[in-house]
Amino acid sequence: TVTGVQTCALPISYLAMQFIEGKTLQERLDKSGPLSVREVLRIGMQTAAGLAAAHAQGLVHRDIKPANILLENGVERVKLTDFGLARAVDDASVTQSGVIAGTPLFMSPEQARGESIDHRSDLFSLGSVLYAMCVGHAPFRASTTMGVIKRVCDESPRPIRELNPDVPDWLVNIINKLLAKKPSGRFQSAKEVTELLSQCLAHLQQPATVALPTAVVETVSDRTQGSLIADDSKPVQGWRLRCTKCGKTRSDRKSTRL
């Protein structure tokens, strides 16, 4: 929150901004490692809501990463910071050849290639942040900046459940969709992501009464054993998934393959 814009005697202009007492998400990850699914959803939902507000004003943040997400002490309310790279949607392209604006570890492929970007670039970065909250580090890592950029543009990150089997399939699916290389393959708005994460959080808090969003359950799949779809014919704690290939069911909380 900007509370004032002043110019001192030098003259140097400066902004007076709200002081947030707390820590960054990056500091939290460095100290504690991967977060619980509940925390991932809560922080992700608030981050998406902040992006939705910025996008509604025609702004693209361009540098969403854990270090730019503040967690206010006590309530850990999320605040997005460092809008220094933010641009209007019609002016969000890289303006200087060979210069990359943003943080390679969390930027989208189109941003890494220096192409024109829109609000969906921020959604890729949000997916990278969610990945980091699940496993403790960014999805695309390498020893050099160019190595990171190559992985962002051309490679898939290591599967989340190989690193943290406690992350449910439906959350992995959400993150994977956000990390689609092409903008058209991602969710199309931060508002949509906010609502989806909110519904998933409600399910986690009240699994017996609140079902997972249909859009999440229907797209969870097992690449080698057939698709998994919602099966509410036998009420159990949480939600059950049914394989369209073999007909077997299992809870989304179990890791046993069908």
Coordinates of all heavy atoms in Angstrom, one line a residue, residues 9-10 13 16 21 47 63 76 117 123 126 130 145 156 178 183 189 202 208 219 223 233 243 251 258:
A9 N 15.1 17.2 -0.7 CA 15.9 18.4 -1.2 C 16.9 18.0 -2.2 O 17.4 18.9 -2.9 CB 16.5 19.1 0.0
L10 N 17.3 16.8 -2.4 CA 18.4 16.4 -3.2 C 18.4 16.8 -4.7 O 19.4 17.3 -5.2 CB 18.8 14.9 -3.1 CG 19.4 14.5 -1.7 CD1 19.6 13.1 -1.6 CD2 20.6 15.3 -1.4
S13 N 13.0 11.5 -5.5 CA 11.6 11.1 -5.3 C 11.6 9.7 -4.6 O 12.4 8.9 -4.8 CB 10.8 11.0 -6.6 OG 10.7 12.3 -7.2
A16 N 6.4 6.4 0.2 CA 6.2 6.0 1.6 C 5.1 4.9 1.5 O 4.0 5.0 1.0 CB 5.6 7.1 2.4
E21 N 5.0 -6.3 9.1 CA 5.8 -7.0 10.0 C 5.6 -8.5 9.8 O 4.5 -9.0 10.0 CB 5.4 -6.6 11.5 CG 6.4 -7.2 12.5 CD 6.1 -6.7 13.9 OE1 5.2 -5.9 14.1 OE2 6.8 -7.2 14.8
T47 N -2.6 -15.4 -2.9 CA -1.7 -14.9 -3.9 C -2.5 -14.7 -5.2 O -2.4 -13.7 -5.9 CB -0.5 -15.8 -4.1 OG1 0.2 -15.9 -2.8 CG2 0.4 -15.2 -5.1
D63 N 7.0 -10.7 -11.8 CA 8.0 -11.2 -10.9 C 7.4 -11.8 -9.7 O 7.9 -11.6 -8.6 CB 9.0 -10.0 -10.5 CG 10.3 -10.6 -10.0 OD1 10.7 -11.7 -10.3 OD2 11.0 -9.8 -9.3
E76 N -0.7 -14.3 9.2 CA -0.1 -14.7 7.9 C -0.9 -14.3 6.7 O -1.0 -15.1 5.8 CB 0.3 -16.2 7.9 CG 1.5 -16.5 8.8 CD 2.2 -17.8 8.4 OE1 1.6 -18.6 7.7 OE2 3.4 -17.9 8.8
I117 N 3.9 -10.7 -23.3 CA 3.2 -11.5 -22.3 C 1.9 -10.9 -21.9 O 1.7 -9.7 -22.1 CB 4.1 -11.8 -21.1 CG1 4.4 -10.5 -20.4 CG2 5.4 -12.5 -21.5 CD1 5.1 -10.6 -19.1
L123 N 0.3 -16.4 -14.1 CA -0.2 -17.7 -13.6 C 0.8 -18.8 -13.7 O 0.8 -19.7 -12.8 CB -1.5 -18.0 -14.4 CG -2.6 -17.0 -14.4 CD1 -3.8 -17.6 -15.1 CD2 -3.0 -16.8 -12.9
L126 N 2.8 -18.3 -10.7 CA 2.0 -18.8 -9.5 C 2.2 -20.3 -9.4 O 2.3 -20.8 -8.3 CB 0.6 -18.4 -9.6 CG -0.4 -18.9 -8.6 CD1 0.0 -18.4 -7.2 CD2 -1.8 -18.5 -8.9
L130 N 3.5 -22.4 -6.2 CA 2.8 -23.5 -5.6 C 3.7 -24.8 -5.6 O 3.7 -25.5 -4.6 CB 1.5 -23.8 -6.3 CG 0.4 -22.8 -6.3 CD1 -0.7 -23.1 -7.2 CD2 -0.1 -22.6 -4.8
T145 N 22.1 -19.3 -15.2 CA 20.9 -18.6 -15.6 C 20.3 -19.2 -17.0 O 19.1 -19.5 -17.1 CB 21.1 -17.1 -15.8 OG1 21.4 -16.6 -14.5 CG2 19.8 -16.4 -16.2
S156 N 10.0 -30.4 -18.5 CA 9.0 -30.6 -17.4 C 9.7 -30.7 -16.1 O 10.8 -31.4 -16.0 CB 8.1 -31.8 -17.7 OG 7.4 -31.7 -18.9
L178 N -1.2 -25.0 -14.4 CA -0.6 -23.7 -14.3 C 0.8 -23.6 -15.0 O 1.2 -22.6 -15.5 CB -0.5 -23.2 -12.9 CG -1.8 -22.8 -12.1 CD1 -1.5 -22.8 -10.6 CD2 -2.3 -21.5 -12.7
P183 N 0.4 -20.6 -23.0 CA -0.6 -19.9 -22.2 C -2.0 -20.4 -22.3 O -2.8 -20.4 -21.4 CB -0.5 -18.4 -22.7 CG 0.9 -18.3 -23.2 CD 1.3 -19.6 -23.7
S189 N -7.5 -17.3 -16.0 CA -7.6 -16.1 -15.2 C -7.2 -16.4 -13.7 O -7.4 -17.5 -13.2 CB -9.0 -15.5 -15.2 OG -9.9 -16.2 -14.4
A202 N -11.9 -25.6 1.1 CA -13.1 -25.9 1.8 C -13.3 -27.5 1.9 O -13.7 -28.0 2.9 CB -14.3 -25.3 1.1
A208 N -16.2 -34.4 4.5 CA -17.5 -35.1 4.5 C -18.6 -34.4 3.9 O -19.6 -35.0 3.5 CB -17.8 -35.5 6.0
T219 N -10.1 -34.4 -14.1 CA -8.9 -34.4 -14.8 C -7.7 -35.1 -14.2 O -6.6 -35.1 -14.7 CB -8.5 -32.9 -15.1 OG1 -8.5 -32.2 -13.9 CG2 -9.4 -32.2 -16.1
R223 N -1.4 -42.1 -16.0 CA -1.0 -42.2 -17.4 C -0.9 -43.6 -17.9 O -1.1 -43.9 -19.1 CB 0.4 -41.5 -17.6 CG 0.3 -40.0 -17.4 CD 1.7 -39.4 -17.7 NE 1.7 -38.0 -17.4 CZ 2.7 -37.1 -17.6 NH1 3.9 -37.6 -18.0 NH2 2.6 -35.9 -17.4
S233 N -20.5 -43.1 -5.3 CA -21.5 -44.1 -5.1 C -21.4 -44.7 -3.7 O -22.4 -45.3 -3.2 CB -21.5 -45.1 -6.2 OG -20.2 -45.7 -6.2
C243 N -11.1 -45.7 -11.5 CA -10.4 -45.9 -12.8 C -11.3 -46.3 -13.9 O -12.1 -47.3 -13.8 CB -9.3 -46.9 -12.6 SG -8.3 -47.2 -14.1
S251 N -9.3 -44.0 -2.5 CA -9.4 -42.7 -1.9 C -8.3 -41.8 -2.4 O -7.2 -42.3 -2.7 CB -9.3 -42.7 -0.4 OG -9.2 -41.4 0.2
L258 N -3.6 -48.1 -8.9 CA -4.7 -49.0 -9.3 C -4.2 -50.1 -10.2 O -3.4 -49.8 -11.1 CB -5.8 -48.2 -10.0 CG -6.5 -47.2 -9.1 CD1 -7.5 -46.4 -10.0 CD2 -7.2 -47.8 -8.0

